[in-house]
Amino acid sequence: MKPVELIKLPIKKEMELFEKKFKDSMLSKVPLLNRITYYIVRRKGKQMRPMFVFLVAKMVSNGGFDERTYRGASVVELIHTATLVHDDVVDDSNRRRGFFSINALWKNKIAVLVGDFLLSKGLLLSIDNEDFDLLKLISIAVREMSEGELLQIEKARKLDITEDIYFDIIRQKTATLIAACCGIGAASVGANQDTVQQMRKFGEYIGIAFQIKDDLFDYSDEKIGKPTGIDIKEQKMTLPLIHTLNNCSAKEKAWIINTVKKHNKNKVRVKELIAFVKENGGIDYTISQMNAYKSKAIAILNNYSESPYKASLLQMIDYVVERKI
């Protein structure tokens, strides 16, 4: 059994029912929209975000569950899907998870409108059911995701990203949505504010570890389904590179900056830079940071009694840092 299927076992029934509820939450009177949302549902990914919502809800309430938990998971997935559709437009990307992206099939204008539709559906699902606490958690995530993306674009132009700014960017871009999932899971079953905030922190730590792992793939020798050096070609300053820049001579620093700015499409130079980062401890340092966030997430789970849901969340942490893609 695949790791994700093992993690899902304690919430298998809930995940199956969720798929139907999520599909229903996207229904529209516009046939074109229904065709596009049907296409979106068919090419779903691992659905890790709803899994976080369900596992946290059940862990903090000792197996309890609520209709609000399904709505919370649907809101998260609607908002997440909206951001992916918009991201593909921004990045001018033609593929997503091995399928053609919405903008590749239906063009940018329709893709932007579909993203807006999914965003509004998510917000209205919360408003119509007066889930204002869940709405606040997801709205904070949407704001932070936008800020994180814009901060990264601003810093990429100057290549002046410090380690602190890097962590700010990945916390906002990636970790904030997983933090919202875990906070929503706890809030949906009536957990107190301390527990909700603790679960948000748990999700944030996992999200940061997840993004660091993604950044490490750019330097991987393994065949993972995506080429190495992509972040360098796109002038993205990730932790292995930032650490190396902060720990080399002025001459080496100038060479790195010159490579990223002016020779980022040169395969030989990019390969040389990847080798330099590895030789100068950039990868080892990055792995140690990822493991530090993994430990912080585990420390939070240690406050909860043993259960199949806690066990699955521990497996999820391992999966995040050990996955091959």
Side-chain angles (χ1 to χ4, degrees):
M1 197 180 279
K2 290 180 180 176
V4 174
E5 295 307 313
L6 272 173
I7 294 165
K8 265 186 197 176
L9 277 178
I11 49 163
K12 199 166 184 289
K13 284 180 188 168
E14 287 83 0
M15 287 298 293
E16 284 166 4
L17 189 52
F18 165 74
E19 288 200 23
K20 186 188 180 307
K21 288 176 181 284
F22 178 56
K23 215 179 288 182
D24 291 346
S25 72
M26 288 199 279
L27 283 175
S28 157
K29 291 174 184 172
V30 180
L32 173 61
L33 255 174
N34 287 331
R35 277 204 305 278
I36 295 170
T37 53
Y38 175 72
Y39 177 74
I40 288 169
V41 169
R42 274 181 55 225
R43 60 188 194 124
K44 69 179 188 294
K46 299 182 186 83
Q47 294 188 306
M48 283 174 70
R49 286 155 193 85
M51 286 162 65
F52 274 120
V53 175
F54 293 152
L55 287 169
V56 167
K58 281 185 165 281
M59 181 185 74
V60 302
S61 65
N62 297 316
F65 215 68
D66 198 291
E67 195 59 36
R68 267 167 43 96
T69 314
Y70 284 116
R71 291 199 297 269
S74 291
V75 167
V76 165
E77 201 68 345
L78 283 163
I79 303 290
H80 175 57
T81 308
T83 62
L84 294 183
V85 172
H86 283 162
D87 280 352
D88 288 339
V89 175
V90 170
D91 298 338
D92 200 20
S93 175
N94 289 323
R95 296 190 84 79
R96 165 76 59 182
R97 296 172 182 148
F99 294 88
F100 283 114
S101 59
I102 304 300
N103 50 301
L105 293 172
W106 284 281
K107 305 302 175 197
N108 283 351
K109 185 176 181 179
I110 288 175
V112 170
L113 292 169
V114 168
D116 292 346
F117 168 78
L118 294 170
L119 188 63
S120 67
K121 274 284 194 179
L123 300 178
L124 283 167
L125 184 60
S126 292
I127 292 165
D128 290 345
N129 291 283
E130 298 187 3
D131 297 328
F132 299 121
D133 53 341
L134 309 188
L135 180 60
K136 184 176 181 180
L137 287 164
I138 197 65
S139 297
I140 290 167
V142 173
R143 182 196 68 204
E144 291 198 329
M145 286 158 72
S146 307
E147 287 177 346
E149 286 285 357
L150 288 164
L151 180 59
Q152 184 171 52
I153 290 166
E154 181 191 2
K155 293 297 176 182
R157 287 175 181 157
K158 298 175 187 173
L159 299 186
D160 63 344
I161 295 181
T162 62
E163 202 171 301
D164 285 346
I165 290 170
Y166 165 81
F167 279 109
D168 266 351
I169 289 169
I170 68 169
R171 184 188 60 76
Q172 291 180 307
K173 258 187 67 178
T174 304
T176 191
L177 188 59
I178 297 175
C181 294
C182 297
I184 284 170
S188 73
V189 288
N192 63 39
Q193 266 308 301
D194 284 348
T195 302
V196 171
Q197 291 311 314
Q198 190 179 54
M199 285 296 101
R200 276 194 81 241
K201 212 63 183 159
F202 166 74
E204 185 180 294
Y205 293 150
I206 293 185
I208 290 171
F210 182 94
Q211 187 58 54
I212 294 174
K213 179 67 174 182
D214 248 26
D215 294 344
L216 281 165
F217 284 140
D218 212 46
Y219 295 85
S220 174
D221 293 322
E222 296 174 43
K223 291 187 177 177
I224 54 162
K226 79 174 199 181
T228 56
I230 291 291
D231 289 339
I232 295 166
K233 283 167 194 161
E234 293 177 357
Q235 298 186 330
K236 282 181 187 168
M237 300 291 283
T238 57
L239 193 55
L241 199 54
I242 293 164
H243 178 76
T244 306
L245 267 173
N246 291 338
N247 293 276
C248 64
S249 69
K251 188 180 175 185
E252 288 165 335
K253 195 170 184 175
W255 176 78
I256 291 172
I257 296 288
N258 186 258
T259 301
V260 176
K261 270 191 173 177
K262 296 178 181 174
H263 302 281
N264 56 332
K265 302 283 192 290
N266 181 325
K267 286 183 181 175
V268 175
R269 279 287 284 267
V270 169
K271 213 170 180 181
E272 285 172 0
L273 180 51
I274 288 171
F276 184 81
V277 168
K278 287 178 179 175
E279 286 160 18
N280 286 271
I283 304 303
D284 291 340
Y285 176 76
T286 302
I287 290 169
S288 73
Q289 288 293 303
M290 178 180 71
N291 286 329
Y293 278 96
K294 172 186 172 179
S295 298
K296 285 181 181 182
I298 291 169
I300 289 176
L301 286 189
N302 287 340
N303 296 314
Y304 293 86
S305 53
E306 298 306 314
S307 69
Y309 318 110
K310 176 182 170 179
S312 276
L313 285 167
L314 286 166
Q315 287 175 321
M316 185 81 96
I317 298 170
D318 283 338
Y319 172 74
V320 159
V321 298
E322 289 166 16
R323 67 201 160 96
K324 300 296 181 195
I325 185 65

